[in-house]
Amino acid sequence: MLAKFLTYSLLGIDALPVEVEVDVSESALPKTILVGMPEAAVKECVHRIERALVNSGFQRPTNRVVINLAPADLPKQAASFDLPIALGILAGSGQVTSDRLTEFAVVGELALDGTTRPTKGVLSMAMAAAKQRGVRGILVPTANAAEAAVVESIEVYPIASLTQAIAFMTGELDIEPTPSRLDEVFRSHGQYDVDYADVRGQEMAKRAITVAAAGSHNLLMLGPPGSGKTMLAKRFPTILPQLTPAESIETSRVYSAMGLLPPGQPLLAVRPFRAPHHTISDAGLVGGGSTPTPGEISQAHNGLLFLDELPEFNRRTLEVLRQPLEDGTVTISRALNSTTFPANFMLIAALNPCPCGYRNDPRRECHCSIPQVEKYMNKISGPLLDRIDIHLEVPAVAYQELTGAGQGTSSSVMREDVQRARAVQRRRFEGSKTRFNARMGTRQIRTQCQLDAPGRQMLEAAMNDFGLSARAHDKVLRVARTIADLAGSERVEVVHLSEAINYRMLDRKLWT
């Protein structure tokens, strides 16, 4: 007897439909055959399912069982096939009969006692089921139900065990679909524990950070150890607008596919902040592996990637950032297929001005020679620096500022400026794919960043004096446009352009 069930398999972060076909036929000896390019985790499911059937009170078929996972050319590599295969075996052996078997998609891993265990990528699977015609709902492990219920266009049924799944399929048990609680998730988990009011001094740095956040510009901070670079970077998400539900689902898909969603939290409610160690590999940063998996830049999608001690990173590892910084996506190509992951992130980097860290610090003496400093700074390539819009100096904080009674500018004040500038950009780019000034194309720069005669003279002098590239020229104009938006100005004035040029510190050949 033949039984069929619909389930899904992950390829990268996308869920692809898979049809589980189970045929139980008479044979002299009991034998189970699994075909359809199953990986090791799927091959092992046969033993788990057999014991789960017996321990749940069902009979293990004593006939020949052939299990086919179609399409046959798609690799299957997760334990989420346990539950649909178990239901297929019971239906194929005649132990279960129902008209509802083909109305639902089924995913879930089984324990030996028949209970369900959580599965990676359920959010993407629920999204795929919602787009597929003829699918009434999806059965998922109870632990994943809240995550899948984020997709409001399909009914999600929580399943705690194999026996419960059978009772639901045969109509003996009614299970209420899990409701979507998006508002509750954002209300409970959408707060930050840190604030820029905690940072004493560094008001000039906060100004540059506000500009970076307003236009979604990449930022590099240079200063001595202990000047507050990491502290400033960790508070950056607090001044960005709250994640929209669409942005949250985009980012949560990555975390769901990797099994990294926090327990009890079906969605990310705050912008991700990723700070990998400088020993990270190429694949760890951008993604990779024999079966491509997302890297740190995809986990920072719609959020921030913070690279502390930038020159300590392997230069080759840093170079692979160049294309994702421009495109907002990263494509991992292998012999059989290629996978594209989202990577629309803001880059924040921090470094010391020299190997010892105290060059130009009036309170400490630097013993580094010019060749040592140049060797240290040359670990960062010019093309990568070109892609960083704002270069910011973060000096050491004076004692009077550390011990002063007054608080610095708070995150709420900075966020108001950022939201006002982003509202201007929304109106400006309405109807186009561009969302922020940092993503303006060449034509948009010519239209939106027109300069008067003094402004053109200042920009020409800066390009000649600092040796700015064509890309750096466009970066200056984009930053100047953001500064003008913060000031509420329709045109880019000389004062806005002057501030933007001052944010190109590393183009000035400071070390020679």
Side-chain angles (χ1 to χ4, degrees):
M1 186 173 175
L2 177 66
K4 295 182 180 182
F5 281 88
L6 175 65
T7 187
Y8 296 92
S9 177
L10 279 182
L11 183 63
I13 63 171
D14 297 317
L16 302 180
V18 172
E19 189 172 44
V20 177
E21 301 174 322
V22 181
D23 182 75
V24 181
S25 56
E26 293 185 2
S27 176
L29 295 174
K31 187 175 183 180
T32 301
I33 302 171
L34 180 61
V35 296
M37 284 190 74
E39 302 290 342
V42 183
K43 290 178 181 178
E44 293 171 353
C45 77
V46 173
H47 306 293
R48 284 195 302 272
I49 292 168
E50 287 178 352
R51 300 318 306 164
L53 290 173
V54 173
N55 293 329
S56 299
F58 300 100
Q59 292 183 355
R60 173 190 171 189
T62 56
N63 298 322
R64 179 187 179 93
V65 179
V66 178
I67 305 165
N68 179 41
L69 306 177
D73 59 347
L74 175 68
K76 325 296 188 305
Q77 54 182 347
S80 60
F81 298 100
D82 289 10
L83 186 56
I85 291 176
L87 292 175
I89 291 174
L90 292 175
S93 60
Q95 299 182 60
V96 173
T97 56
S98 174
D99 296 332
R100 308 174 70 183
L101 299 182
T102 58
E103 297 178 2
F104 299 92
V106 184
V107 296
E109 179 183 346
L110 290 175
L112 296 184
D113 61 356
T115 57
T116 57
R117 285 179 171 157
T119 299
K120 295 180 181 179
V122 165
L123 178 55
S124 293
M125 295 177 185
M127 293 172 68
K131 296 176 183 176
Q132 195 155 351
R133 296 178 61 183
V135 178
R136 178 178 157 191
I138 183 170
L139 277 59
V140 302
T142 302
N144 294 122
E147 176 188 337
V150 167
V151 185
E152 297 176 340
S153 53
I154 191 167
E155 294 182 338
V156 175
Y157 296 91
I159 299 299
S161 65
L162 176 60
T163 53
Q164 189 182 44
I166 294 297
F168 174 77
M169 285 293 195
T170 55
E172 298 175 7
L173 175 67
D174 286 330
I175 300 177
E176 288 295 321
T178 302
S180 176
R181 296 188 174 93
L182 279 179
D183 293 339
E184 183 180 325
V185 170
F186 281 99
R187 206 166 39 245
S188 304
H189 303 284
Q191 308 300 320
Y192 294 96
D193 297 328
V194 293
D195 194 285
Y196 270 116
D198 305 332
V199 181
R200 298 299 180 93
Q202 304 297 7
E203 291 301 312
M204 293 298 293
K206 291 182 183 180
R207 164 64 180 176
I209 285 169
T210 302
V211 174
S216 192
H217 301 288
N218 299 319
L219 172 69
L220 183 144
M221 295 183 286
L222 183 142
S227 59
K229 301 185 295 295
T230 303
M231 195 174 185
L232 289 165
K234 286 184 175 179
R235 283 154 179 76
F236 200 104
T238 65
I239 66 172
L240 295 174
Q242 189 179 39
L243 275 176
T244 64
E247 288 177 330
S248 179
I249 289 174
E250 282 179 7
T251 309
S252 298
R253 285 181 65 204
V254 177
Y255 284 74
S256 172
M258 301 182 72
L260 296 178
L261 282 176
Q265 187 176 336
L267 274 182
L268 293 180
V270 296
R271 296 191 180 272
F273 178 87
R274 304 296 301 180
H277 192 259
H278 62 258
T279 56
I280 191 169
S281 65
D282 301 3
L285 188 62
V286 300
S290 56
T291 301
T293 55
E296 288 285 344
I297 63 173
S298 295
Q299 294 173 53
H301 181 59
N302 288 322
L304 291 104
L305 178 70
F306 177 50
L307 302 182
D308 200 5
E309 305 295 345
L310 188 65
E312 301 300 330
F313 283 80
N314 185 295
R315 178 161 178 159
R316 178 184 164 186
T317 302
L318 292 178
E319 292 306 297
V320 298
L321 285 176
R322 286 158 56 175
Q323 179 260 336
L325 280 172
E326 292 287 324
D327 299 344
T329 59
V330 58
T331 300
I332 310 297
S333 297
R334 293 293 179 263
L336 297 179
N337 57 58
S338 63
T339 306
T340 299
F341 298 122
N344 186 15
F345 62 95
M346 284 182 62
L347 174 65
I348 301 180
L351 70 157
N352 297 326
C354 65
C356 78
Y358 295 105
R359 189 171 183 82
N360 297 330
D361 189 335
R363 301 177 302 176
R364 300 285 293 268
E365 184 178 357
C366 172
H367 299 284
C368 302
S369 65
I370 292 296
Q372 286 177 315
V373 177
E374 288 184 338
K375 181 180 178 181
Y376 179 76
M377 297 300 294
N378 284 339
K379 293 180 180 179
I380 311 166
S381 71
L384 180 62
L385 283 178
D386 253 2
R387 286 167 170 81
I388 300 178
D389 307 31
I390 297 176
H391 306 162
L392 169 67
E393 185 173 10
V394 184
V397 183
Y399 175 78
Q400 290 79 5
E401 292 179 326
L402 282 175
T403 56
Q407 282 194 332
T409 307
S410 67
S411 292
S412 60
V413 173
M414 297 168 69
R415 192 186 308 114
E416 288 176 6
D417 292 338
V418 170
Q419 290 175 335
R420 187 172 62 252
R422 289 200 170 193
V424 173
Q425 293 168 61
R426 274 197 302 273
R427 292 192 294 271
R428 175 182 299 131
F429 301 124
E430 190 173 2
S432 71
K433 294 183 179 180
T434 306
R435 296 167 59 195
F436 306 113
N437 289 336
R439 299 289 182 184
M440 280 194 292
T442 306
R443 291 182 183 177
Q444 291 171 319
I445 290 174
R446 291 199 192 103
T447 305
Q448 305 295 339
C449 306
Q450 294 181 357
L451 303 176
D452 54 18
R456 289 194 296 270
Q457 292 173 3
M458 176 181 287
L459 185 56
E460 182 182 0
M463 289 199 68
N464 293 333
D465 293 344
F466 301 156
L468 298 182
S469 67
R471 181 184 286 113
H473 166 274
D474 289 352
K475 295 284 188 187
V476 168
L477 289 176
R478 291 185 182 109
V479 174
R481 179 67 266 175
T482 301
I483 295 169
D485 291 343
L486 285 167
S489 174
E490 290 290 333
R491 291 184 59 86
V492 176
E493 307 291 348
V494 171
V495 63
H496 308 140
L497 186 64
S498 175
E499 183 178 351
I501 292 172
N502 283 331
Y503 291 143
R504 297 301 301 181
M505 185 181 67
L506 293 186
D507 292 321
R508 302 181 201 169
K509 304 176 183 177
L510 293 180
W511 319 117
T512 57

